[in-house]
Amino acid sequence: MPLVTTKEMFEKAYNGGYAVGAFNVNNMEIVQGITEAAKDLNAPLILQVSKGARAYANHTYLIKLVEAAVIETGLPIALHLDHGDSFETCKSCIDGGFTSVMIDASSKPFEENIALTRKVVEYAHDHGVVVEAELGTLAGVEDEVNVSAENSSYTRPEDVQEFVERTGCDSLAIAIGTSHGAYKFKPGTKPQLRFDILEEVSRRLPGFPIVLHGSSSVPQEFVKIINENGGNMPGAIGVPEDQLRKAASMAVCKINIDSDLRLAMTATIRKYFNDHPDHFDPRQYLKPARAAIKDMVAHKIVDVLGCDGKA
Ligand code: G3H
Ligand code: 13P
Ligand code: ZN
């Protein structure tokens, strides 16, 4: 099966009350860990590549790694540009074989967001590619852009219908309290996503797929391993998984997870080096790191997304 778009995946996810995981990829071990879990569980999959990932690993290497995963797994896999920041970046990914792109103009005024998103949609649809857009601003760090909690803003449900109609986008990322990175909420506070906003958005956009960014849960066992093995990540807190599961049963069809994979990989490698100070063959520490990513993704597929068996 060749790479697919997210169209059919999202229709099935919306009707089935589950979400598809969108995991960020930067190198071979990450691609392998994610796709091995999805294959074992027969889950649909979105592999996403940020601007930073393209700069780090090179577009062609990433495309070929993902194509290899399609051959190895036979799964429906979409290759998605995460947080495209300009028409040119989106065009380059569309021309270069991606099946889905995000144009993230959420930090621009409403009319500018519409104009840029519309331009990307026209080009993408002419080439059989789908487009994710964003309304509302998440806090946190993405591609070196740091949005503070004060400058973040929830999506206004009264804007979504006009935005989707005028842009023609295929899915919409909304801000309901998630944020990027490992430091999402203040320690001691009780994180609570704004399900009232999600409900109102989906009432105004019946059947339309909604996307949640910033959906890592920052498992405390991994933070502990990192801190016990020379790291320093006090106060790293994420989104409760039961709230993500609830969102997946509603209109949310795509849930973005990156930080949790980074934590699993880093905790495993830190511990490995502490346990084996004399080892220096990268295969020795990348092998358990890849296995930790696989375990993390399997847990997300079964316990958070609910997309096991849905490929
Ligand atoms: O939302 C951002 C993703 O976690 C990608 O992060 O821009 O550091 O590759 P990155
Ligand atoms: P996390 O930092 O919560 O993993 O979010 C990832 C993301 O939204 C990628 O676009
Ligand atoms: Zn994101």
Side-chain angles (χ1 to χ4, degrees), residues 47-154:
L47 295 177
Q48 57 187 12
V49 168
S50 70
K51 191 179 166 197
R54 282 178 96 219
Y56 171 78
N58 169 306
H59 180 96
T60 310
Y61 279 95
L62 290 168
I63 281 269
K64 294 298 171 193
L65 284 171
V66 172
E67 283 174 1
V70 170
I71 292 168
E72 285 296 317
T73 62
L75 289 174
I77 298 180
L79 176 56
H80 174 76
L81 168 66
D82 191 25
H83 294 285
D85 61 344
S86 65
F87 175 78
E88 289 68 30
T89 305
C90 292
K91 180 177 182 302
S92 152
C93 288
I94 293 164
D95 295 345
F98 282 46
T99 54
S100 173
V101 294
M102 175 188 193
I103 176 67
D104 181 358
S106 59
S107 59
K108 298 186 189 302
F110 189 65
E111 286 298 327
E112 279 179 47
N113 188 351
I114 288 181
L116 180 51
T117 302
R118 177 77 222 155
K119 189 174 170 192
V120 171
V121 167
E122 278 168 8
Y123 189 80
H125 285 183
D126 279 351
H127 294 78
V129 170
V130 291
V131 178
E132 173 186 326
E134 180 166 332
L135 256 187
T137 321
L138 272 67
V141 184
E142 73 202 32
D143 263 334
E144 292 149 32
V145 179
N146 194 342
V147 180
S148 67
E150 308 83 70
N151 289 333
S152 65
S153 59
Y154 293 118

Side-chain angles (χ1 to χ4, degrees), residues 167-178:
T167 60
C169 66
D170 302 279
S171 61
L172 184 67
I174 62 169
I176 59 167
T178 62

Side-chain angles (χ1 to χ4, degrees), residues 171-174 198 201-202 205 208-212 251-254:
S171 61
L172 184 67
I174 62 169
L198 174 57
V201 166
S202 41
L205 294 173
F208 193 80
I210 300 301
V211 177
L212 282 192
V252 171
C253 295
K254 172 175 180 271

